[in-house]
C-alpha cells in the first residue's frame, strides 16, 4: 500500500495532535488539584497552556486554522466549566466533539464519501479521483469504520461514563490514554484494513484506477 500508517497518523492528528489535545486538560487538572479544587485556577491554566501550544504551533509553521481551532476548543471548555462550576464539565466539550465526529464519520461512509478517503485523497492531491475507483472507495469505507468504532465510540463511552460519575482525575488520565496510544492503534488497524481490502493487483492509494 502506498501510504504508510505513519502517514495516516500525520493526516489524522498523530503525535502532534495528541500533544495539543492532552496539554491543556492536564494543565487544568494539575491547577485544579494544586489550588484546592478551584475551578477558576484550573480554567485559567488550561487557557494559558492552550495559548502556549497555539503560539508554538504557529511559530513552527502549523496551519492557522488548526492551531486556533485547538485554542478555541479549550476556551469553550473553560467557559463551560466556569459557568457550571463542575470540574468534570471541562471535559464535556471533548465528549461532545467525539460524539459528533463519530456520527460525521459514520454518515460519510453511508453516503459513500468516507472521510478517510477525503482526507488522504486531498493530501495526495487526488481531489475526488479516488471515488471513481470502486476498490479504493470500498477500502476507504471499511477502514473508516475502524475510526468510528475504534476511536470515537471508545472515547465517547469512556468519557461519557467518567463524566456521569464526576471522576475528574480519571477523566484527565483517560484524556492522555485515549490520545496518541489509541490513535496509534487505530491507525495501525485501519492501515491493515485498507491493505487487505484492496485487490492484490491494485497499484495503491496514490494510483486510483477509474
Amino acid at each position: 500500500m502506498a501510504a504508510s500508517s505513519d502517514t495516516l497518523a500525520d493526516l489524522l492528528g498523530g503525535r502532534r495532535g495528541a500533544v495539543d489535545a492532552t496539554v491543556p486538560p492536564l494543565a487544568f487538572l494539575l491547577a485544579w488539584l494544586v489550588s484546592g479544587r478551584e475551578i477558576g485556577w484550573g480554567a485559567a491554566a488550561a487557557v494559558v497552556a492552550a495559548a502556549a501550544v497555539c503560539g508554538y504551533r504557529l511559530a513552527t509553521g502549523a496551519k492557522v486554522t488548526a492551531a486556533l481551532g485547538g485554542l478555541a476548543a479549550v476556551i469553550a471548555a473553560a467557559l463551560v466549566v466556569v459557568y457550571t462550576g463542575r470540574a468534570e464539565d471541562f471535559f464535556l466539550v471533548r465528549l461532545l466533539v467525539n460524539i459528533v465526529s463519530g456520527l460525521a464519520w459514520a454518515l460519510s461512509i453511508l453516503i459513500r464519501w468516507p472521510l478517510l478517503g477525503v482526507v488522504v485523497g486531498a493530501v495526495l492531491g487526488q481531489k475526488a479521483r479516488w471515488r471513481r475507483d470502486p476498490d479504493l472507495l470500498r477500502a476507504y469505507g471499511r477502514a473508516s469504520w475502524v475510526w468510528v468504532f475504534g476511536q470515537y465510540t471508545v472515547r465517547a463511552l469512556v468519557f461519557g461514563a467518567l463524566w456521569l460519575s464526576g471522576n475528574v482525575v480519571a477523566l484527565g488520565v483517560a484524556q492522555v490514554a485515549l490520545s496518541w496510544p489509541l490513535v496509534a492503534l487505530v491507525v495501525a488497524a485501519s492501515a491493515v484494513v485498507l491493505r487487505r481490502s484492496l485487490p492484490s493487483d491494485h497499484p495503491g492509494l496514490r494510483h486510483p484506477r477509474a
Side-chain angles (χ1 to χ4, degrees):
M1 187 174 62
S4 68
S5 59
D6 288 338
T7 300
L8 292 178
D10 291 338
L11 294 175
L12 298 170
R15 295 178 180 86
R16 174 176 293 188
V19 171
D20 294 357
T22 56
V23 170
L26 285 179
F28 171 84
L29 181 60
L30 291 174
W32 179 72
L33 290 172
V34 170
S35 65
R37 306 197 171 193
E38 288 288 337
I39 296 294
W41 283 106
V47 172
V48 170
V53 170
C54 177
Y56 175 75
R57 294 306 180 205
L58 291 175
T60 54
K63 292 183 178 180
V64 174
T65 52
L68 293 181
L71 176 59
V74 174
I75 292 175
L79 291 174
V80 169
V81 75
V82 168
Y83 177 77
T84 65
R86 290 162 29 103
E88 61 268 30
D89 287 347
F90 179 81
F91 299 89
L92 181 58
V93 171
R94 195 61 55 91
L95 168 61
L96 295 177
V97 166
N98 278 280
I99 292 174
V100 171
S101 296
L103 292 174
W105 276 67
L107 178 61
S108 76
I109 300 167
L110 296 177
I111 64 174
R112 297 177 63 80
W113 275 91
L115 282 175
L116 187 61
V118 172
V119 175
V120 175
V123 171
L124 296 179
Q126 298 170 348
K127 297 183 179 179
R129 283 193 296 120
W130 57 272
R131 291 195 73 249
R132 296 196 292 271
D133 184 334
D135 294 324
L136 267 182
L137 180 59
R138 181 176 60 254
Y140 278 132
R142 291 176 178 175
S144 292
W145 282 120
V146 177
W147 288 86
V148 173
F149 293 110
Q151 176 167 273
Y152 299 116
T153 301
V154 168
R155 286 178 176 172
L157 291 175
V158 173
F159 289 152
L162 294 176
W163 176 76
L164 288 172
S165 68
N167 196 329
V168 182
V169 174
L171 278 165
V173 173
Q175 179 62 57
V176 177
L178 299 182
S179 59
W180 174 244
L182 180 61
V183 171
L185 194 61
V186 171
V187 164
S190 61
V192 171
V193 171
L194 269 174
R195 183 169 59 250
R196 292 185 176 180
S197 296
L198 292 175
S200 58
D201 63 342
H202 196 280
L205 304 186
R206 295 181 181 274
H207 307 285
R209 298 189 297 197

